[in-house]
Amino acid sequence: MEDFIQDLQDSLHKGFIDQQYNKSSRYIPELLINNASQNKNVLSTILEELDSCNSFLFSVAFITEGGLATLKSHLLDLDRKGIKGRILTSTFLHFNQPKVFKELMKLTNVEVKMTDIPGFHSKGYIFEHREFYSLIVGSSNLTAHALQVNHEWNVKLTSYENGEVINHFKRQFEDVWDEAHQLTDQWIENYEKNYTPIDFKKAEKVIELPTEYKVNSLKEALEIKPNKMQIAALEQIQAVRDAGNDKGLVISATGTGKTYLSAFDVRRFAPKKMLFIVHREQILHKALSDFQLITGGIDKDFGILSGSSKQTEAKYLFATIQTISKQQMLDQFDPEEFDYILIDEVHKAGAASYLRVIDYFNPEFLMGMTATPERTDDFNIFELFDYNIAYEIRLQEALEEDMLCPFHYFGVTDLEYNGELIDDATILSYLVTEERVNHILDKINYYGFSGERVRGLMFCSRKEEAIKLSEALNNKGLRTVSLTGDTSQEDRIHQVNRLENGSLDYIITVDIFNEGIDIPSINQVVMLRQTQSSIIFIQQLGRGLRKHDSKEFVTIIDFIGNYKNNYLIPIALSGDKSQNKDNIRRNTTETSYIKGVSTINFEEIAKKQIFKSINNSNLTAVKILKDAYMELKNRIGKVPYLYDFVTNHSIDPVVIADKFKNYYLFLLKMKEEVSNITPYENSVLTMLSLEILPGKRKHELILLDQLVRHCKISNRDYIHLLEESKCLVDQATLQSVHRILSLSFFSQNDKKKYGTVPIVEFKSENYSFNSKIKESLENNSYFKRLFEDVIKTGIEKSKKYDSGKSLTLYEKYSRKDSCKLLNWDKDESSTMYGYKPKHQTCPIFVTYHKNNEVEASVDYGDEFISPELFKWYTRSNRTLQSDEVQKIIHAENNSIDVHLFVKKDDDEGTGFYYMGEVKPDKDSVHQDKMADNKPVVHMNMVMEQPVESKLYNYIVNGLE
């Protein structure tokens, strides 16, 4: 307790008296704002406080369904832990809708009361922790926009339980609470009767034009202006044409208005005759009406070519591929007849029917449109359009531009059956048991939907499951229907209309609604199957992302069982294709890549299933890497280099290097025809790829880059370049760079692997390559290209590291990395084990969750006591008198810098998160015994700065 009070006093001193005060700042008063460019918002702090508190109090005037949705999975996890809270709100201005009070009633661990104080307008959040209280007070109500987007000011304060400020706030809360009314079903019913809704919606939030708005004349159509995204896209499409290209591909996320965009471009192009091709007839009429809205014109200018209509003389002809691709139909047209042809959902164009049409016609411009150009059948859509990507906007960008309906994704835990979570092998009868159906109902009811009534889509893994589940849910009072591949087109359309007009609650299907269906009013998407691919996942999620007046957001409920492919969920949501396990873990715990008011939430058990899947998966299997490689090669139309993987957000080049030693060997594995390089050149590429490419220290990269350009550089000029790049410049670091590039740092095995002789020589205050590399760079242009590619890619990767420091907080490092970056003479990683004091440094490496089979002699009790305190054990058979123990205890007096590295478990590979410098607390040093009775010493290490909460929680929480 004394430590806490001292830390609090130091924090308050820094916050209110002297900002230069350099003591503890964990509890410093903090301004909370929403700033998308800095990945900051008020919500993240509230969630951090919720996840670590013992109880909470909210006093908020306004609550919306979207705001409440951001907390629901966290509140459910708190409920499992027995943690409760209270929310005080009101009916001020009739802002709070009746439905949000119904949603509040679902929170079994939260008591809610209503105050009728006139002008009640408070916004305060109080969290009780073990030793202290946190208080957030300011301008943010419990609404999604206030917590994530709006310009808000909130102050976060920390107080000891006896502090006057926190007690003043608590008294205010209790005074109002005692006089307030309990929220009950009867109260909500009475409120609903007298409720007068206020329309707070703004017109500019709706992106697509209202469907009821009809345009009859060209003049009226020209008054309709493209939105911000469409203006940018139209300029890029025109640039493709201006460059002399007659084909262009538009890649645009579902719901972003591809049809309107194409209509605006057709209006600009002004073709004599246009052909628009779709793969399903029900899309034709909507596309035609959208075009007439934008382009204007009389009805007879617009025609349909399908099984039931043959209006081939129309200026704007809308055709199904099934009809237009028939040879007898094609023969009725001149190949030059259409000067502008559009193909919707063009990722299907590898089919013979599409290729027949494309080969037959010769338009002035051919445009293809798709949300998912990536294919699993090896057909290259990009090649079909001469690699001209006219415009591309994916899910994250579209959300940021407010082009899509916001979503709240909930990764929820599927049902356990006989102690096991549902998995790939679960038989059908278990999928539709009474228990699982009730479990599904509990989740869809708890997480809810936006709007007056549910309009839901459920995706199952099997046709029989969809049929049986529909029957079971209907027996529970829902109105559902199952649609499968056996269902006729007419019946599908009929059931979609029933869903939209309120006659159905859910359509339950397998994969037939992944694409090509437009139901803008869908407000809940339920996924009851394992994720087979990121593409299908986004297609299914996208069914609910069209904006519609009846909803403010769409709820995505994903039932996560014991599936081996669970790791695809964070990959799909983040769009990160790096195949880097650390990136996937971070994208599961840190979801700030989703912009706007959308959120991604995983229940704790579901999150552990994903971590388990990540750990067990082989993301570097040759087939996975080959598929990603071919996708990139298809996209850019040539054999890619490492830098292409970075710029196209594909595989992390380090993943390739770790698997194949260098990119040349990877290309050979891909069976590419490549120029020859010598065994020595191969060794040099291996050294650069394994040691320099990761970019963890920029110094070597800067030197190598200069040497490739100029053959020689002086030590003075090199230091100047380092200073320009804001790199740490000291003699120890420069000597370390010498040792790396001369290979003297490495073990004998590594030296042999890397070519034995120094890569860079340092003579007479000048750096230069050795003679063999000089010769290779001069005589082998292919080797030079590969060499430069590694350097260029490494420089790009180095941007995430702080060049002004030896180590970057919370990045991952191996034992070998620490030897290198702490400027040791040699790589001593093989004998470092848990720690090693050397060269006035002592890196400590801790695997937090030990393997269950670990021997008693190494089963240490290392643990975080708090984010700023780590209980650390020496190796066994050490006493207080041991030399190494004394060095660490008195590290500060001996000017030894102690660095802490921690990884969650052995499944995380050789990398450890860097937690920063630590200082031993001498008063906590204690000699103890291990389970095998051998002596051991443990002590508390005080963190230089507290561990960030998301990483702290990720490491501390095990997978049990």
Side-chain angles (χ1 to χ4, degrees):
M1 186 59 67
E2 289 179 7
D3 289 340
F4 164 74
I5 293 175
Q6 184 59 56
D7 284 348
L8 182 59
Q9 287 175 343
D10 289 338
S11 297
L12 294 174
H13 189 102
K14 185 179 179 73
F16 288 109
I17 299 172
D18 181 7
Q19 61 180 325
Q20 305 301 325
Y21 190 67
N22 62 357
K23 294 289 182 68
S24 172
S25 59
R26 183 192 174 195
Y27 305 111
I28 191 169
E30 186 179 355
L31 176 65
L32 306 182
I33 59 171
N34 297 316
N35 187 321
S37 64
Q38 296 177 10
N39 273 341
K40 289 182 177 180
N41 59 41
V42 179
L43 175 63
S44 61
T45 303
I46 287 177
L47 293 181
E48 287 171 12
E49 291 293 327
L50 263 184
D51 291 345
S52 59
C53 73
N54 294 333
S55 68
F56 59 91
L57 309 174
F58 293 175
S59 178
V60 282
F62 301 151
I63 306 175
T64 61
E65 289 180 74
L68 191 58
T70 64
L71 309 184
K72 276 189 173 180
S73 66
H74 296 263
L75 293 173
L76 193 62
D77 286 332
L78 291 180
D79 194 14
R80 290 194 187 99
K81 298 172 187 174
I83 292 172
K84 300 181 181 297
R86 291 184 282 166
I87 296 178
L88 180 65
T89 186
S90 75
T91 58
F92 182 49
L93 297 180
H94 269 202
F95 180 95
N96 293 339
Q97 299 178 357
K99 186 161 180 274
V100 84
F101 292 122
K102 296 175 184 176
E103 294 298 314
L104 285 165
M105 289 290 288
K106 297 177 182 178
L107 308 177
T108 55
N109 59 327
V110 180
E111 187 180 0
V112 182
K113 280 192 175 184
M114 315 296 306
T115 177
D116 49 15
I117 293 176
F120 181 82
H121 204 227
S122 68
K123 299 109 178 171
Y125 305 82
I126 300 174
F127 305 90
E128 180 197 0
H129 297 275
R130 187 164 57 91
E131 293 182 328
F132 61 91
Y133 283 87
S134 296
L135 168 68
I136 297 172
V137 63
S139 63
S140 288
N141 275 298
L142 188 46
T143 73
H145 279 82
L147 296 180
Q148 293 172 272
V149 176
N150 294 348
H151 188 85
E152 307 276 351
W153 276 21
N154 297 275
V155 174
K156 178 187 171 186
L157 300 171
T158 304
S159 171
Y160 183 49
E161 60 184 0
N162 287 338
E164 184 172 341
V165 170
I166 194 64
N167 277 285
H168 184 70
F169 274 97
K170 284 172 64 182
R171 281 197 304 272
Q172 281 287 312
F173 180 92
E174 298 295 352
D175 287 347
V176 179
W177 180 267
D178 290 343
E179 299 298 320
H181 309 289
Q182 195 78 35
L183 181 65
T184 63
D185 292 331
Q186 184 61 54
W187 185 94
I188 296 171
E189 189 178 321
N190 294 335
Y191 179 68
E192 205 163 10
K193 290 175 185 174
N194 303 312
Y195 176 70
T196 306
I198 301 173
D199 185 11
F200 287 98
K201 289 183 180 178
K202 296 180 178 178
E204 61 264 27
K205 286 178 71 177
V206 180
I207 243 173
E208 295 194 346
L209 299 164
T211 53
E212 66 272 16
Y213 181 53
K214 299 297 180 187
V215 176
N216 296 314
S217 72
L218 180 60
K219 180 183 175 186
E220 289 175 295
L222 289 173
E223 290 175 358
I224 302 174
K225 305 295 182 187
N227 63 31
K228 179 183 173 185
M229 180 280 288
Q230 290 160 345
I231 291 170
L234 290 169
E235 288 174 357
Q236 292 184 38
I237 295 167
Q238 187 59 45
V240 167
R241 285 196 289 264
D242 291 343
N245 299 298
D246 59 3
K247 297 175 183 175
L249 180 63
V250 170
I251 303 168
S252 186
T254 301
T256 52
K258 291 190 297 290
T259 308
Y260 282 122
L261 171 62
S262 61
F264 280 121
D265 193 54
V266 167
R267 187 171 83 180
R268 170 188 282 187
F269 191 92
K272 296 184 180 70
K273 196 168 184 181
M274 180 213 77
L275 174 64
F276 189 110
I277 300 172
V278 301
H279 69 290
R280 286 195 180 149
E281 188 167 346
Q282 68 261 37
I283 306 171
L284 281 180
H285 297 279
K286 178 71 165 65
L288 185 151
S289 64
D290 288 345
F291 262 71
Q292 191 167 9
L293 186 73
I294 302 298
T295 60
I298 56 178
D299 288 346
K300 74 173 187 177
D301 282 349
F302 298 84
I304 297 286
L305 175 58
S306 66
S308 56
S309 178
K310 304 288 187 294
Q311 298 167 321
T312 57
E313 298 303 314
K315 177 180 178 180
Y316 301 105
L317 183 61
F318 296 80
T320 61
I321 188 62
Q322 294 84 355
T323 303
I324 190 75
S325 64
K326 292 175 182 173
Q327 194 59 52
Q328 61 268 36
M329 181 57 68
L330 287 173
D331 291 341
Q332 297 181 34
F333 295 98
D334 186 318
E336 313 282 333
E337 184 148 351
F338 301 100
D339 38 356
Y340 195 125
I341 295 179
L342 285 145
I343 302 177
D344 193 24
E345 306 289 4
V346 76
H347 54 271
K348 298 176 180 294
S353 55
Y354 283 90
L355 294 176
R356 195 180 309 123
V357 173
I358 291 170
D359 290 342
Y360 182 82
F361 288 111
N362 184 29
E364 289 182 34
F365 191 67
L366 173 67
M367 183 195 280
M369 299 183 295
T370 179
T372 52
E374 299 85 2
R375 303 297 297 138
T376 55
D377 57 9
D378 290 335
F379 184 80
N380 190 352
I381 295 298
F382 300 98
E383 182 181 24
L384 195 62
F385 287 86
D386 298 337
Y387 306 100
N388 296 319
I389 300 175
Y391 182 71
E392 180 169 12
I393 186 164
R394 295 298 181 108
L395 176 64
Q396 285 76 18
E397 299 165 289
L399 286 167
E400 193 166 3
E401 292 293 329
D402 195 29
M403 296 165 64
L404 300 174
C405 177
F407 69 86
H408 295 295
Y409 168 92
F410 299 99
V412 307
T413 314
D414 212 329
L415 187 72
E416 281 193 7
Y417 195 85
N418 290 338
E420 294 290 331
L421 274 173
I422 282 173
D423 61 18
D424 308 14
T426 303
I427 62 175
L428 174 65
S429 59
Y430 292 173
L431 297 178
V432 288
T433 59
E434 177 85 2
E435 292 85 357
R436 190 177 190 232
V437 171
N438 287 337
H439 180 69
I440 292 168
L441 287 170
D442 285 345
K443 294 296 184 184
I444 62 178
N445 177 59
Y446 179 76
Y447 287 113
F449 54 87
S450 172
E452 292 303 312
R453 49 172 304 277
V454 68
R455 291 179 175 88
L457 269 185
M458 287 190 188
F459 290 98
C460 296
S461 55
R462 311 171 202 176
K463 181 165 61 176
E464 296 80 6
E465 181 189 357
I467 295 167
K468 295 279 189 186
L469 184 61
S470 177
E471 292 173 1
L473 291 174
N474 291 342
N475 291 335
K476 295 283 187 179
L478 289 180
R479 299 167 302 167
T480 76
V481 66
S482 61
L483 298 183
T484 71
D486 300 332
T487 311
S488 70
Q489 199 63 41
E490 293 73 23
D491 195 25
R492 292 183 196 182
I493 296 170
H494 171 65
Q495 300 299 352
V496 167
N497 288 335
R498 289 184 66 206
L499 185 73
E500 291 221 277
N501 68 29
S503 302
L504 278 180
D505 299 318
Y506 291 93
I507 290 176
I508 305 174
T509 183
V510 184
D511 286 329
I512 64 169
F513 279 7
N514 290 0
E515 57 187 3
I517 190 71
D518 189 10
I519 317 175
S521 61
I522 286 176
N523 54 16
Q524 192 185 78
V525 176
V526 182
M527 299 177 176
L528 291 164
R529 80 295 165 275
Q530 64 170 315
T531 302
Q532 296 286 8
S533 83
S534 300
I535 295 171
I536 291 173
F537 181 93
I538 292 299
Q539 286 175 339
Q540 294 180 347
L541 180 147
R543 293 308 97 205
L545 295 185
R546 290 193 184 277
K547 292 195 170 188
H548 195 266
D549 285 345
S550 67
K551 64 183 182 183
E552 291 183 16
F553 59 88
V554 61
T555 304
I556 313 292
I557 306 173
D558 190 1
F559 285 76
I560 297 175
N562 188 27
Y563 299 126
K564 62 183 179 183
N565 286 345
N566 282 336
Y567 69 87
L568 288 171
I569 296 170
I571 288 177
L573 289 167
S574 66
D576 183 330
K577 301 177 183 178
S578 67
Q579 301 302 116
N580 183 314
K581 287 190 176 186
D582 292 328
N583 290 356
I584 302 172
R585 290 186 186 99
R586 288 198 173 195
N587 290 334
T588 306
T589 55
E590 172 52 66
T591 59
S592 59
Y593 49 80
I594 287 294
K595 305 301 182 185
V597 295
S598 297
T599 59
I600 295 171
N601 311 271
F602 294 101
E603 293 178 3
E604 196 61 43
I605 298 171
K607 189 184 294 183
K608 289 177 180 179
Q609 287 302 121
I610 292 177
F611 290 144
K612 178 181 173 184
S613 168
I614 295 168
N615 293 346
N616 293 338
S617 65
N618 180 10
L619 298 188
T620 60
V622 174
K623 184 185 183 308
I624 292 176
L625 296 182
K626 185 175 182 180
D627 287 346
Y629 170 78
M630 290 304 300
E631 182 186 311
L632 179 58
K633 183 181 177 183
N634 287 344
R635 169 179 277 265
I636 65 177
K638 62 180 182 180
V639 172
Y641 286 94
L642 290 174
Y643 192 70
D644 293 314
F645 287 93
V646 175
T647 55
N648 287 280
H649 310 291
S650 186
I651 314 169
D652 182 352
V654 172
V655 170
I656 296 174
D658 286 345
K659 177 85 172 179
F660 295 93
K661 296 185 180 176
N662 65 55
Y663 193 55
Y664 177 78
L665 296 176
F666 174 74
L667 291 175
L668 290 178
K669 188 71 176 179
M670 296 297 105
K671 296 183 168 54
E672 294 288 2
E673 291 186 14
V674 294
S675 302
N676 290 327
I677 65 173
T678 67
Y680 178 68
E681 289 167 347
N682 184 61
S683 296
V684 171
L685 287 176
T686 296
M687 184 276 174
L688 295 177
S689 301
L690 295 179
E691 304 294 345
I692 309 299
L693 173 67
K696 295 180 181 181
R697 185 163 67 187
K698 199 173 184 178
H699 300 62
E700 290 90 344
L701 288 157
I702 290 173
L703 179 54
L704 291 168
D705 182 55
Q706 287 300 308
L707 290 179
V708 171
R709 296 167 188 263
H710 307 296
C711 297
K712 183 188 288 188
I713 184 174
S714 70
N715 186 51
R716 184 182 62 186
D717 289 343
Y718 174 48
I719 291 173
H720 178 65
L721 286 171
L722 291 176
E723 289 171 343
E724 274 190 342
S725 297
K726 296 183 170 54
C727 291
L728 179 66
V729 181
D730 57 22
Q731 199 58 35
T733 303
L734 292 174
Q735 288 174 353
S736 175
V737 172
H738 295 179
R739 287 191 291 270
I740 298 300
L741 296 178
S742 69
L743 305 188
S744 65
F745 169 81
F746 298 103
S747 67
Q748 286 303 119
N749 281 341
D750 279 347
K751 281 182 186 176
K752 187 175 178 182
K753 185 166 62 176
Y754 297 157
T756 308
V757 298
I759 289 173
V760 173
E761 297 173 344
F762 182 58
K763 295 176 183 176
S764 303
E765 294 296 310
N766 289 304
Y767 297 93
S768 62
F769 285 126
N770 71 44
S771 58
K772 293 172 78 172
I773 293 179
K774 283 180 188 173
E775 185 180 344
S776 290
L777 291 172
E778 288 172 9
N779 299 327
N780 189 339
S781 59
Y782 187 58
F783 168 72
K784 183 178 181 181
R785 182 70 182 85
L786 293 172
F787 192 108
E788 290 174 330
D789 182 41
V790 174
I791 304 309
K792 186 178 181 182
T793 306
I795 289 172
E796 185 64 32
K797 289 193 66 63
S798 73
K799 291 177 180 177
K800 75 172 185 173
Y801 297 96
D802 184 351
S803 299
K805 296 180 178 178
S806 300
L807 298 157
T808 301
L809 210 57
Y810 310 136
E811 293 299 334
K812 279 191 121 175
Y813 299 93
S814 66
R815 290 179 173 88
K816 185 177 181 181
D817 290 330
S818 76
C819 292
K820 180 197 302 182
L821 298 172
L822 293 174
N823 302 327
W824 287 20
D825 292 341
K826 301 282 184 185
D827 173 14
E828 300 189 36
S829 55
S830 62
T831 58
M832 183 179 291
Y833 308 112
Y835 60 95
K836 195 166 199 175
K838 197 150 191 177
H839 302 299
Q840 298 305 115
T841 62
C842 179
I844 293 175
F845 290 87
V846 174
T847 301
Y848 200 84
H849 297 282
K850 312 292 191 292
N851 190 304
N852 290 333
E853 288 93 43
V854 73
E855 294 177 17
S857 61
V858 290
D859 190 13
Y860 307 109
D862 305 300
E863 63 173 340
F864 277 108
I865 296 171
S866 69
E868 50 283 313
L869 213 57
F870 187 80
K871 184 178 183 180
W872 174 72
Y873 281 69
T874 66
R875 56 185 130 234
S876 72
N877 223 10
R878 299 298 185 273
T879 68
L880 289 170
Q881 287 71 43
S882 298
D883 181 55
E884 67 185 43
V885 175
Q886 283 296 309
K887 281 183 180 178
I888 293 171
I889 292 172
H890 300 290
E892 198 166 3
N893 297 338
N894 297 327
S895 299
I896 295 174
D897 296 331
V898 184
H899 301 268
L900 179 63
F901 300 81
V902 180
K903 67 178 177 181
K904 187 182 183 78
D905 51 47
D906 282 326
D907 288 319
E908 292 213 338
T910 60
F912 292 73
Y913 292 100
Y914 177 54
M915 298 299 186
E917 286 194 47
V918 294
K919 288 185 169 51
D921 176 6
K922 293 178 185 176
D923 294 336
S924 69
V925 178
H926 182 72
Q927 185 173 313
D928 214 330
K929 288 185 179 180
M930 297 287 288
D932 60 359
N933 279 326
K934 288 182 179 176
V936 69
V937 176
H938 60 77
M939 64 192 78
N940 293 340
M941 293 289 186
V942 181
M943 312 295 297
E944 185 179 37
Q945 60 186 82
V947 182
E948 67 173 12
S949 60
K950 284 187 173 62
L951 181 58
Y952 177 82
N953 291 330
Y954 165 65
I955 287 174
V956 170
N957 293 324
L959 291 174
E960 297 79 22

